[in-house]
Structures are given as C-alpha cells and as structure tokens.
Amino acid sequence: MSDVDIHHLAAAYVLDALDPRERDEFETHYGACDVCRDDVVAFRRTLAEVAAAVAVPPPAAMKERVLAEIATTRQLSPRVAATADVVPLAGRRRVGTWLSVAAAVVLLAGIVTVLGLARRTSTSYADELAKVMEQDDATVTSLAPADGVQGTFRVAWSEHLGTAVLIGEGLPAAPAGTAYELWWFPQPDATDSPDSPNADGRLAMYVLDAAGDGNVHHVLDLPADPAAWAITLEPEGGAAVTTGDVIFIGAVA
Amino acid sequence: MRARPGVLPPDAAAPADGDAASALLRRAGRGDQQAFAELYDVLSPLVHGVVLKVVRDPAQAEEVTQEVFVELWRTATRFDGSKGSARAWASTLAHRRAVDRVRSEQASRERQQRDAAAAIRDHDMVVDEVEAGLDQARVRRALDRLSELQREAVELAYFGGHTYRDVAVLLGVAEGTVKSRIRDGMIRLRDELGGEA
C-alpha cells in the first residue's frame, strides 16, 4: 500500500469499514501521522453528529442494569509513569557474522513457528522476516515481560535492509480502549537526551485484532541505531510519549 | 534508562471540549457512579441509536448498548478530552461494538454464501430506515448534499455496518471507487456538520 493510499483510509477507518489487515496497517500508520490523527478526530466528531440524529432511548430498565454492573466492575488503572530500567549500553556492538549464524540456529525453532503463523496472516510479513533473517547483520531481540505479563515480543531487524519485524505472540487482548505500542530507544551517543525515549523515539502503534488471536506481526522501517525496544499499553489513539507502564523491554545485545 | 512520564497528568488534561458529557466522564473516571448515572442519561440515546441501527435486533442491541456503557465505565480512567469529546468516544465505541457483533454473527453464518437478492433487499432496507430515522434536519441536509454514491457508501458503512469491500459488492462498483467516495463523503460531511477542532 502506498503512502498516499494509507492517508486516504482515515474515513473508512472511523466508519469501521476496513478489513482487519488494513485496519492494523492504518493504526500502525496513523499513530505516527499527525495528518491522519487530525482526520480521525475530526471525522469522529462528525459521526457523533450523525449518530445524534438517529438517537433512540434504550428501554428504561437498562439504566438499572448498567448501574448495577458498573458498581461491581473495576475500572482500569489510570496511566502510570513508566519506571522500567534498561541496562545502559557501553557502546554500540555489532553482532558478528559468526555470532549471527549461531544466533540464527538457536532461533530457528522460533522463527519456523513464526513463519507458519505468518502464512496464515500476512505473506508480506513472512517474506520480510525471511529477508531480514538472511542478512549477515540480522539481529533478534527478545523483550522481557514485566512480572505477571503474558505473551512474548521479539524484534528481528537488519540495518543493512533498514527493516525491522515485530513479532508478538500469545498476547492477551489489549484492554478496551487501549493498544500495545512499540517504542525504540536511541543509542546513548545518538541523541541529546540519552536517558529517556522522546517523541522522536516513538515508532508506531500496533493494535491486536479484535478477534484476539493474540498475535501481532508488523514490518517497520528500522529507526537509526536502536539501543532498546519497549512495549507499553496506551490509549487506543496512541500517545506521543509513554504514559503506560513498560510491560516488555529488551536492550540490544 | 527511565521512560519519561506522560505529558498529561490525569487532572491537568485541559479539556479541548468543554462539554458536560466530557466533564461527567472525567468524574466517572475518578469512580463517581453518580456522575456516570448522569452520563448515561445524556449519552444512552446516542449509543443505543447507533447500536440499534447497525444491529437491528432489539434484544441484541440492548446487550451491546449495555456492553458499551460498561466499557465506558472501565476505560473512563483513561479518557483524554484532547483526543475528542465523550460524545465522540461513546459513539465510536458504540459503532465498533455493534459492528463486532454483526460481523461475528455473519462469520458464523458463512457469509460467503450471501445471495445477491438478499444483499439488495438489505441495502434498500438500510437506506430506507436511515432516511426515515433521521430526525435532525441538519444531518439530513448534510447527507442530502452528498452525491448519491457518496451518501450510499457512507450510510452502508456506518449504519449498515459493512466493510467498504462489502459496500462495493452491494453497490456494484469497484472497491477503489467506494474507498474514494467514502473519503469524499466524509470530508463533505465534516465540512457541513463541523468536525474541525
């Protein structure tokens, strides 16, 4: 899908008229695109007007049912400042060819599983992952989950290709109104503010399929020189800086 | 390395919308059930109207409307007025849950075998119902200003709960055409009804 095409999907997106694959692609895109985010906000406001024109009060008895149910329903914790610590890196280390071959062997079982899943979801994802893993500089970072967090996230990438592939599996559905969001941390020597990710450090947003198969597979343009990757839960529209707890994190070895 | 806290502390989030519903939703986010009850009074016709239009079946629509309100309650803690009003968020959630409901129903009924006659009846019914149900002259006027294809495409997607690919089948036009008509139609509606910040 070309860049122009994806900007044009905001209208179909707010109408919930995209198929799941396109919706994922658009959400990936619009989290990082101010134009599309403005479109989404404006179109939603428009649709609220349209919705008001077809308003129908529900049966009176529903109010009591709703109030009874919320009285026993716990609210989500509000966004909390992220506090996960990342082991700082002494400096940039490129994985040597020999090591990457060894790593590839160790990872093989996992990658085969991923490819098997990928064929059912997106061929471009499987192709891109295969291309990345063929590179001499292929690197895979497994992100460590915070205590009690289910599922796995890995990022496979090649600087030579300029491509990163995000592989999330066995994940619980993101709580309603929230989405998993991926962040990258620049190398300490590559930024003026080495101690924190910033708005520029934000990569994109990936929302799990509502069908909830628990898998997230995305192909991204590799940001320059990543030092670490992290996943947080954010409001569905995406956040410009991290607001949720870091639930997965991994430093580049 | 320490991730920086968010730019929006819960209470400092200056509401871009000063409306009552958003204020109530923020109070509900602090656990105020009375505020949520008032919010229900304000938003329930909006939510139920959308759900009913898409789901059609009254009993199922009630279930979905109730789900939407429980979800509004659960997520009220994270409401961010700078990303849109409570009304916009509630109608977004209502439509999404309604569409989830009809699509999971359709999937279980092997929608691939949908026959053309049923599709055409479905289409006419949606459009007729929408025309009959619009009680706000302003919205009706705005919809009337769309080209026929724009209006049908937007209505089939929004009120019919169809994907744009389904809309293309229903209208017998190319998918790309539907995509651009939906976009043109929404831009026009936005210009007629407001939607700019």
PDB file of all heavy atoms in Angstrom, chain A residues 45, chain B residues 13-30 35 38-39 42-43 72 76 79-90:
ATOM      1  N   ARG A  45     -15.825  13.302  15.347  1.00  0.00           N
ATOM      2  CA  ARG A  45     -16.729  14.359  15.823  1.00  0.00           C
ATOM      3  C   ARG A  45     -17.919  14.473  14.864  1.00  0.00           C
ATOM      4  O   ARG A  45     -19.057  14.617  15.283  1.00  0.00           O
ATOM      5  CB  ARG A  45     -15.954  15.677  15.905  1.00  0.00           C
ATOM      6  CG  ARG A  45     -16.692  16.776  16.608  1.00  0.00           C
ATOM      7  CD  ARG A  45     -15.778  17.974  16.820  1.00  0.00           C
ATOM      8  NE  ARG A  45     -14.669  17.647  17.691  1.00  0.00           N
ATOM      9  CZ  ARG A  45     -13.421  18.082  17.515  1.00  0.00           C
ATOM     10  NH1 ARG A  45     -13.117  18.852  16.510  1.00  0.00           N
ATOM     11  NH2 ARG A  45     -12.489  17.746  18.371  1.00  0.00           N
TER      12      ARG A  45
ATOM     13  N   ALA B  13      -5.126  17.407  32.248  1.00  0.00           N
ATOM     14  CA  ALA B  13      -5.533  17.304  30.856  1.00  0.00           C
ATOM     15  C   ALA B  13      -6.622  18.330  30.586  1.00  0.00           C
ATOM     16  O   ALA B  13      -7.783  18.116  30.866  1.00  0.00           O
ATOM     17  CB  ALA B  13      -6.045  15.904  30.563  1.00  0.00           C
ATOM     18  N   ALA B  14      -6.222  19.460  30.060  1.00  0.00           N
ATOM     19  CA  ALA B  14      -7.198  20.508  29.797  1.00  0.00           C
ATOM     20  C   ALA B  14      -8.173  20.023  28.736  1.00  0.00           C
ATOM     21  O   ALA B  14      -7.756  19.594  27.679  1.00  0.00           O
ATOM     22  CB  ALA B  14      -6.483  21.766  29.302  1.00  0.00           C
ATOM     23  N   PRO B  15      -9.439  20.018  29.027  1.00  0.00           N
ATOM     24  CA  PRO B  15     -10.395  19.526  28.055  1.00  0.00           C
ATOM     25  C   PRO B  15     -10.429  20.428  26.818  1.00  0.00           C
ATOM     26  O   PRO B  15     -10.596  21.634  26.947  1.00  0.00           O
ATOM     27  CB  PRO B  15     -11.721  19.567  28.800  1.00  0.00           C
ATOM     28  CG  PRO B  15     -11.517  20.542  29.922  1.00  0.00           C
ATOM     29  CD  PRO B  15     -10.057  20.516  30.241  1.00  0.00           C
ATOM     30  N   ALA B  16     -10.241  19.823  25.651  1.00  0.00           N
ATOM     31  CA  ALA B  16     -10.357  20.589  24.423  1.00  0.00           C
ATOM     32  C   ALA B  16     -11.829  20.893  24.196  1.00  0.00           C
ATOM     33  O   ALA B  16     -12.195  21.879  23.594  1.00  0.00           O
ATOM     34  CB  ALA B  16      -9.783  19.796  23.249  1.00  0.00           C
ATOM     35  N   ASP B  17     -12.679  20.008  24.722  1.00  0.00           N
ATOM     36  CA  ASP B  17     -14.113  20.203  24.621  1.00  0.00           C
ATOM     37  C   ASP B  17     -14.596  20.565  26.006  1.00  0.00           C
ATOM     38  O   ASP B  17     -14.229  19.946  26.982  1.00  0.00           O
ATOM     39  CB  ASP B  17     -14.759  18.897  24.200  1.00  0.00           C
ATOM     40  CG  ASP B  17     -14.398  17.796  25.171  1.00  0.00           C
ATOM     41  OD1 ASP B  17     -13.246  17.325  25.118  1.00  0.00           O
ATOM     42  OD2 ASP B  17     -15.249  17.444  25.999  1.00  0.00           O
ATOM     43  N   GLY B  18     -15.392  21.590  26.097  1.00  0.00           N
ATOM     44  CA  GLY B  18     -15.833  21.969  27.424  1.00  0.00           C
ATOM     45  C   GLY B  18     -17.200  21.391  27.755  1.00  0.00           C
ATOM     46  O   GLY B  18     -17.882  21.876  28.637  1.00  0.00           O
ATOM     47  N   ASP B  19     -17.590  20.317  27.041  1.00  0.00           N
ATOM     48  CA  ASP B  19     -18.982  19.905  27.159  1.00  0.00           C
ATOM     49  C   ASP B  19     -19.267  19.111  28.425  1.00  0.00           C
ATOM     50  O   ASP B  19     -18.378  18.552  29.068  1.00  0.00           O
ATOM     51  CB  ASP B  19     -19.403  19.114  25.923  1.00  0.00           C
ATOM     52  CG  ASP B  19     -18.702  17.791  25.844  1.00  0.00           C
ATOM     53  OD1 ASP B  19     -17.484  17.790  25.605  1.00  0.00           O
ATOM     54  OD2 ASP B  19     -19.364  16.775  26.053  1.00  0.00           O
ATOM     55  N   ALA B  20     -20.530  19.059  28.757  1.00  0.00           N
ATOM     56  CA  ALA B  20     -20.954  18.446  30.015  1.00  0.00           C
ATOM     57  C   ALA B  20     -20.645  16.953  30.049  1.00  0.00           C
ATOM     58  O   ALA B  20     -20.222  16.433  31.080  1.00  0.00           O
ATOM     59  CB  ALA B  20     -22.452  18.683  30.201  1.00  0.00           C
ATOM     60  N   ALA B  21     -20.864  16.287  28.929  1.00  0.00           N
ATOM     61  CA  ALA B  21     -20.640  14.838  28.920  1.00  0.00           C
ATOM     62  C   ALA B  21     -19.183  14.520  29.228  1.00  0.00           C
ATOM     63  O   ALA B  21     -18.890  13.581  29.970  1.00  0.00           O
ATOM     64  CB  ALA B  21     -21.050  14.249  27.559  1.00  0.00           C
ATOM     65  N   SER B  22     -18.280  15.299  28.667  1.00  0.00           N
ATOM     66  CA  SER B  22     -16.862  15.036  28.923  1.00  0.00           C
ATOM     67  C   SER B  22     -16.517  15.282  30.388  1.00  0.00           C
ATOM     68  O   SER B  22     -15.733  14.535  30.980  1.00  0.00           O
ATOM     69  CB  SER B  22     -15.987  15.906  28.019  1.00  0.00           C
ATOM     70  OG  SER B  22     -16.211  15.568  26.665  1.00  0.00           O
ATOM     71  N   ALA B  23     -17.117  16.319  30.962  1.00  0.00           N
ATOM     72  CA  ALA B  23     -16.873  16.590  32.378  1.00  0.00           C
ATOM     73  C   ALA B  23     -17.392  15.426  33.229  1.00  0.00           C
ATOM     74  O   ALA B  23     -16.740  14.992  34.182  1.00  0.00           O
ATOM     75  CB  ALA B  23     -17.558  17.897  32.780  1.00  0.00           C
ATOM     76  N   LEU B  24     -18.555  14.904  32.865  1.00  0.00           N
ATOM     77  CA  LEU B  24     -19.108  13.767  33.608  1.00  0.00           C
ATOM     78  C   LEU B  24     -18.226  12.533  33.459  1.00  0.00           C
ATOM     79  O   LEU B  24     -18.016  11.784  34.413  1.00  0.00           O
ATOM     80  CB  LEU B  24     -20.535  13.462  33.115  1.00  0.00           C
ATOM     81  CG  LEU B  24     -21.610  14.472  33.513  1.00  0.00           C
ATOM     82  CD1 LEU B  24     -22.907  14.214  32.751  1.00  0.00           C
ATOM     83  CD2 LEU B  24     -21.853  14.434  35.031  1.00  0.00           C
ATOM     84  N   LEU B  25     -17.722  12.316  32.250  1.00  0.00           N
ATOM     85  CA  LEU B  25     -16.886  11.133  32.036  1.00  0.00           C
ATOM     86  C   LEU B  25     -15.589  11.246  32.849  1.00  0.00           C
ATOM     87  O   LEU B  25     -15.104  10.253  33.391  1.00  0.00           O
ATOM     88  CB  LEU B  25     -16.594  10.950  30.536  1.00  0.00           C
ATOM     89  CG  LEU B  25     -15.837   9.669  30.148  1.00  0.00           C
ATOM     90  CD1 LEU B  25     -16.530   8.413  30.696  1.00  0.00           C
ATOM     91  CD2 LEU B  25     -15.703   9.562  28.631  1.00  0.00           C
ATOM     92  N   ARG B  26     -15.059  12.461  32.941  1.00  0.00           N
ATOM     93  CA  ARG B  26     -13.859  12.630  33.765  1.00  0.00           C
ATOM     94  C   ARG B  26     -14.157  12.340  35.241  1.00  0.00           C
ATOM     95  O   ARG B  26     -13.369  11.703  35.929  1.00  0.00           O
ATOM     96  CB  ARG B  26     -13.291  14.048  33.608  1.00  0.00           C
ATOM     97  CG  ARG B  26     -12.225  14.143  32.501  1.00  0.00           C
ATOM     98  CD  ARG B  26     -11.581  15.510  32.471  1.00  0.00           C
ATOM     99  NE  ARG B  26     -12.524  16.513  32.019  1.00  0.00           N
ATOM    100  CZ  ARG B  26     -12.769  16.777  30.729  1.00  0.00           C
ATOM    101  NH1 ARG B  26     -12.137  16.111  29.798  1.00  0.00           N
ATOM    102  NH2 ARG B  26     -13.644  17.691  30.391  1.00  0.00           N
ATOM    103  N   ARG B  27     -15.326  12.792  35.699  1.00  0.00           N
ATOM    104  CA  ARG B  27     -15.695  12.490  37.095  1.00  0.00           C
ATOM    105  C   ARG B  27     -15.895  10.988  37.280  1.00  0.00           C
ATOM    106  O   ARG B  27     -15.468  10.413  38.288  1.00  0.00           O
ATOM    107  CB  ARG B  27     -16.966  13.257  37.480  1.00  0.00           C
ATOM    108  CG  ARG B  27     -16.680  14.698  37.889  1.00  0.00           C
ATOM    109  CD  ARG B  27     -17.970  15.498  38.057  1.00  0.00           C
ATOM    110  NE  ARG B  27     -18.893  14.889  39.013  1.00  0.00           N
ATOM    111  CZ  ARG B  27     -20.196  15.165  39.053  1.00  0.00           C
ATOM    112  NH1 ARG B  27     -20.737  16.005  38.189  1.00  0.00           N
ATOM    113  NH2 ARG B  27     -20.957  14.588  39.954  1.00  0.00           N
ATOM    114  N   ALA B  28     -16.521  10.368  36.298  1.00  0.00           N
ATOM    115  CA  ALA B  28     -16.712   8.912  36.378  1.00  0.00           C
ATOM    116  C   ALA B  28     -15.361   8.201  36.451  1.00  0.00           C
ATOM    117  O   ALA B  28     -15.217   7.178  37.115  1.00  0.00           O
ATOM    118  CB  ALA B  28     -17.500   8.426  35.162  1.00  0.00           C
ATOM    119  N   GLY B  29     -14.362   8.787  35.795  1.00  0.00           N
ATOM    120  CA  GLY B  29     -13.021   8.209  35.813  1.00  0.00           C
ATOM    121  C   GLY B  29     -12.402   8.222  37.197  1.00  0.00           C
ATOM    122  O   GLY B  29     -11.440   7.510  37.459  1.00  0.00           O
ATOM    123  N   ARG B  30     -12.964   9.039  38.089  1.00  0.00           N
ATOM    124  CA  ARG B  30     -12.480   9.041  39.466  1.00  0.00           C
ATOM    125  C   ARG B  30     -13.399   8.207  40.357  1.00  0.00           C
ATOM    126  O   ARG B  30     -13.405   8.353  41.573  1.00  0.00           O
ATOM    127  CB  ARG B  30     -12.384  10.481  39.973  1.00  0.00           C
ATOM    128  CG  ARG B  30     -11.343  11.287  39.194  1.00  0.00           C
ATOM    129  CD  ARG B  30     -11.001  12.620  39.842  1.00  0.00           C
ATOM    130  NE  ARG B  30     -12.052  13.606  39.692  1.00  0.00           N
ATOM    131  CZ  ARG B  30     -12.119  14.475  38.679  1.00  0.00           C
ATOM    132  NH1 ARG B  30     -11.208  14.444  37.724  1.00  0.00           N
ATOM    133  NH2 ARG B  30     -13.093  15.358  38.603  1.00  0.00           N
ATOM    134  N   ALA B  35     -22.011  10.468  38.803  1.00  0.00           N
ATOM    135  CA  ALA B  35     -21.688  11.171  37.559  1.00  0.00           C
ATOM    136  C   ALA B  35     -21.918  10.241  36.366  1.00  0.00           C
ATOM    137  O   ALA B  35     -22.420  10.667  35.317  1.00  0.00           O
ATOM    138  CB  ALA B  35     -20.230  11.641  37.579  1.00  0.00           C
ATOM    139  N   GLU B  38     -25.507  10.107  35.496  1.00  0.00           N
ATOM    140  CA  GLU B  38     -25.909  11.290  34.719  1.00  0.00           C
ATOM    141  C   GLU B  38     -25.396  11.191  33.284  1.00  0.00           C
ATOM    142  O   GLU B  38     -26.087  11.560  32.333  1.00  0.00           O
ATOM    143  CB  GLU B  38     -25.356  12.569  35.365  1.00  0.00           C
ATOM    144  CG  GLU B  38     -26.033  12.917  36.687  1.00  0.00           C
ATOM    145  CD  GLU B  38     -25.335  14.082  37.392  1.00  0.00           C
ATOM    146  OE1 GLU B  38     -24.957  15.053  36.693  1.00  0.00           O
ATOM    147  OE2 GLU B  38     -25.157  14.004  38.621  1.00  0.00           O
ATOM    148  N   LEU B  39     -24.198  10.674  33.150  1.00  0.00           N
ATOM    149  CA  LEU B  39     -23.629  10.489  31.810  1.00  0.00           C
ATOM    150  C   LEU B  39     -24.490   9.521  30.993  1.00  0.00           C
ATOM    151  O   LEU B  39     -24.734   9.735  29.807  1.00  0.00           O
ATOM    152  CB  LEU B  39     -22.198   9.938  31.922  1.00  0.00           C
ATOM    153  CG  LEU B  39     -21.449   9.764  30.602  1.00  0.00           C
ATOM    154  CD1 LEU B  39     -21.061  11.122  30.028  1.00  0.00           C
ATOM    155  CD2 LEU B  39     -20.193   8.910  30.794  1.00  0.00           C
ATOM    156  N   VAL B  42     -27.391  11.253  29.541  1.00  0.00           N
ATOM    157  CA  VAL B  42     -27.041  12.133  28.420  1.00  0.00           C
ATOM    158  C   VAL B  42     -26.721  11.318  27.158  1.00  0.00           C
ATOM    159  O   VAL B  42     -27.146  11.668  26.056  1.00  0.00           O
ATOM    160  CB  VAL B  42     -25.811  13.009  28.789  1.00  0.00           C
ATOM    161  CG1 VAL B  42     -25.353  13.823  27.582  1.00  0.00           C
ATOM    162  CG2 VAL B  42     -26.148  13.928  29.952  1.00  0.00           C
ATOM    163  N   LEU B  43     -25.990  10.227  27.329  1.00  0.00           N
ATOM    164  CA  LEU B  43     -25.437   9.532  26.156  1.00  0.00           C
ATOM    165  C   LEU B  43     -26.206   8.284  25.721  1.00  0.00           C
ATOM    166  O   LEU B  43     -25.979   7.792  24.612  1.00  0.00           O
ATOM    167  CB  LEU B  43     -23.975   9.128  26.420  1.00  0.00           C
ATOM    168  CG  LEU B  43     -22.954  10.255  26.545  1.00  0.00           C
ATOM    169  CD1 LEU B  43     -21.554   9.681  26.719  1.00  0.00           C
ATOM    170  CD2 LEU B  43     -22.992  11.168  25.324  1.00  0.00           C
ATOM    171  N   LEU B  72     -17.329   1.929  28.741  1.00  0.00           N
ATOM    172  CA  LEU B  72     -17.087   3.361  29.008  1.00  0.00           C
ATOM    173  C   LEU B  72     -16.680   3.564  30.469  1.00  0.00           C
ATOM    174  O   LEU B  72     -15.792   4.356  30.777  1.00  0.00           O
ATOM    175  CB  LEU B  72     -18.356   4.179  28.735  1.00  0.00           C
ATOM    176  CG  LEU B  72     -18.570   4.722  27.334  1.00  0.00           C
ATOM    177  CD1 LEU B  72     -19.929   5.416  27.268  1.00  0.00           C
ATOM    178  CD2 LEU B  72     -17.457   5.696  26.948  1.00  0.00           C
ATOM    179  N   ALA B  76     -13.033   4.863  31.633  1.00  0.00           N
ATOM    180  CA  ALA B  76     -13.213   6.288  31.941  1.00  0.00           C
ATOM    181  C   ALA B  76     -11.953   6.877  32.576  1.00  0.00           C
ATOM    182  O   ALA B  76     -11.658   8.060  32.423  1.00  0.00           O
ATOM    183  CB  ALA B  76     -14.407   6.477  32.875  1.00  0.00           C
ATOM    184  N   PHE B  79      -9.802   8.453  29.905  1.00  0.00           N
ATOM    185  CA  PHE B  79     -10.395   9.380  28.942  1.00  0.00           C
ATOM    186  C   PHE B  79      -9.503  10.610  28.773  1.00  0.00           C
ATOM    187  O   PHE B  79      -9.051  11.206  29.745  1.00  0.00           O
ATOM    188  CB  PHE B  79     -11.791   9.797  29.420  1.00  0.00           C
ATOM    189  CG  PHE B  79     -12.402  10.874  28.580  1.00  0.00           C
ATOM    190  CD1 PHE B  79     -12.690  10.643  27.245  1.00  0.00           C
ATOM    191  CD2 PHE B  79     -12.663  12.128  29.117  1.00  0.00           C
ATOM    192  CE1 PHE B  79     -13.248  11.642  26.457  1.00  0.00           C
ATOM    193  CE2 PHE B  79     -13.223  13.129  28.332  1.00  0.00           C
ATOM    194  CZ  PHE B  79     -13.506  12.875  27.003  1.00  0.00           C
ATOM    195  N   ASP B  80      -9.264  10.950  27.541  1.00  0.00           N
ATOM    196  CA  ASP B  80      -8.395  12.087  27.239  1.00  0.00           C
ATOM    197  C   ASP B  80      -9.167  13.042  26.329  1.00  0.00           C
ATOM    198  O   ASP B  80      -9.329  12.777  25.142  1.00  0.00           O
ATOM    199  CB  ASP B  80      -7.126  11.562  26.556  1.00  0.00           C
ATOM    200  CG  ASP B  80      -6.200  12.692  26.121  1.00  0.00           C
ATOM    201  OD1 ASP B  80      -6.573  13.878  26.288  1.00  0.00           O
ATOM    202  OD2 ASP B  80      -5.118  12.385  25.612  1.00  0.00           O
ATOM    203  N   GLY B  81      -9.662  14.127  26.921  1.00  0.00           N
ATOM    204  CA  GLY B  81     -10.504  15.056  26.175  1.00  0.00           C
ATOM    205  C   GLY B  81      -9.809  15.706  24.991  1.00  0.00           C
ATOM    206  O   GLY B  81     -10.463  16.197  24.076  1.00  0.00           O
ATOM    207  N   SER B  82      -8.475  15.671  24.988  1.00  0.00           N
ATOM    208  CA  SER B  82      -7.775  16.303  23.873  1.00  0.00           C
ATOM    209  C   SER B  82      -7.892  15.465  22.605  1.00  0.00           C
ATOM    210  O   SER B  82      -7.576  15.930  21.517  1.00  0.00           O
ATOM    211  CB  SER B  82      -6.305  16.523  24.223  1.00  0.00           C
ATOM    212  OG  SER B  82      -5.615  15.292  24.238  1.00  0.00           O
ATOM    213  N   LYS B  83      -8.316  14.205  22.745  1.00  0.00           N
ATOM    214  CA  LYS B  83      -8.442  13.349  21.558  1.00  0.00           C
ATOM    215  C   LYS B  83      -9.890  13.253  21.086  1.00  0.00           C
ATOM    216  O   LYS B  83     -10.211  12.431  20.235  1.00  0.00           O
ATOM    217  CB  LYS B  83      -7.910  11.951  21.864  1.00  0.00           C
ATOM    218  CG  LYS B  83      -6.420  11.935  22.129  1.00  0.00           C
ATOM    219  CD  LYS B  83      -5.821  10.581  21.792  1.00  0.00           C
ATOM    220  CE  LYS B  83      -4.336  10.550  22.072  1.00  0.00           C
ATOM    221  NZ  LYS B  83      -4.075  10.404  23.513  1.00  0.00           N
ATOM    222  N   GLY B  84     -10.750  14.084  21.653  1.00  0.00           N
ATOM    223  CA  GLY B  84     -12.140  14.060  21.227  1.00  0.00           C
ATOM    224  C   GLY B  84     -13.054  14.065  22.441  1.00  0.00           C
ATOM    225  O   GLY B  84     -12.626  13.748  23.547  1.00  0.00           O
ATOM    226  N   SER B  85     -14.297  14.434  22.210  1.00  0.00           N
ATOM    227  CA  SER B  85     -15.247  14.575  23.304  1.00  0.00           C
ATOM    228  C   SER B  85     -15.743  13.205  23.758  1.00  0.00           C
ATOM    229  O   SER B  85     -15.565  12.193  23.081  1.00  0.00           O
ATOM    230  CB  SER B  85     -16.435  15.401  22.834  1.00  0.00           C
ATOM    231  OG  SER B  85     -17.141  14.681  21.838  1.00  0.00           O
ATOM    232  N   ALA B  86     -16.424  13.203  24.908  1.00  0.00           N
ATOM    233  CA  ALA B  86     -17.036  11.970  25.399  1.00  0.00           C
ATOM    234  C   ALA B  86     -18.099  11.481  24.414  1.00  0.00           C
ATOM    235  O   ALA B  86     -18.258  10.279  24.213  1.00  0.00           O
ATOM    236  CB  ALA B  86     -17.665  12.215  26.776  1.00  0.00           C
ATOM    237  N   ARG B  87     -18.830  12.413  23.801  1.00  0.00           N
ATOM    238  CA  ARG B  87     -19.844  12.002  22.814  1.00  0.00           C
ATOM    239  C   ARG B  87     -19.193  11.274  21.655  1.00  0.00           C
ATOM    240  O   ARG B  87     -19.687  10.251  21.189  1.00  0.00           O
ATOM    241  CB  ARG B  87     -20.589  13.223  22.261  1.00  0.00           C
ATOM    242  CG  ARG B  87     -21.309  14.045  23.274  1.00  0.00           C
ATOM    243  CD  ARG B  87     -22.018  15.205  22.586  1.00  0.00           C
ATOM    244  NE  ARG B  87     -23.160  14.740  21.827  1.00  0.00           N
ATOM    245  CZ  ARG B  87     -24.338  14.497  22.376  1.00  0.00           C
ATOM    246  NH1 ARG B  87     -24.533  14.672  23.660  1.00  0.00           N
ATOM    247  NH2 ARG B  87     -25.327  14.058  21.636  1.00  0.00           N
ATOM    248  N   ALA B  88     -18.082  11.833  21.168  1.00  0.00           N
ATOM    249  CA  ALA B  88     -17.400  11.214  20.028  1.00  0.00           C
ATOM    250  C   ALA B  88     -16.854   9.834  20.416  1.00  0.00           C
ATOM    251  O   ALA B  88     -16.947   8.877  19.656  1.00  0.00           O
ATOM    252  CB  ALA B  88     -16.274  12.119  19.522  1.00  0.00           C
ATOM    253  N   TRP B  89     -16.309   9.767  21.629  1.00  0.00           N
ATOM    254  CA  TRP B  89     -15.753   8.484  22.074  1.00  0.00           C
ATOM    255  C   TRP B  89     -16.866   7.453  22.260  1.00  0.00           C
ATOM    256  O   TRP B  89     -16.744   6.296  21.855  1.00  0.00           O
ATOM    257  CB  TRP B  89     -14.953   8.691  23.369  1.00  0.00           C
ATOM    258  CG  TRP B  89     -14.419   7.430  23.974  1.00  0.00           C
ATOM    259  CD1 TRP B  89     -14.548   7.018  25.252  1.00  0.00           C
ATOM    260  CD2 TRP B  89     -13.653   6.398  23.321  1.00  0.00           C
ATOM    261  NE1 TRP B  89     -13.923   5.812  25.439  1.00  0.00           N
ATOM    262  CE2 TRP B  89     -13.376   5.408  24.274  1.00  0.00           C
ATOM    263  CE3 TRP B  89     -13.203   6.222  22.004  1.00  0.00           C
ATOM    264  CZ2 TRP B  89     -12.652   4.250  23.970  1.00  0.00           C
ATOM    265  CZ3 TRP B  89     -12.476   5.069  21.693  1.00  0.00           C
ATOM    266  CH2 TRP B  89     -12.206   4.105  22.675  1.00  0.00           C
ATOM    267  N   ALA B  90     -17.989   7.882  22.849  1.00  0.00           N
ATOM    268  CA  ALA B  90     -19.096   6.945  23.077  1.00  0.00           C
ATOM    269  C   ALA B  90     -19.670   6.453  21.749  1.00  0.00           C
ATOM    270  O   ALA B  90     -19.978   5.263  21.598  1.00  0.00           O
ATOM    271  CB  ALA B  90     -20.189   7.613  23.911  1.00  0.00           C
TER     272      ALA B  90
END
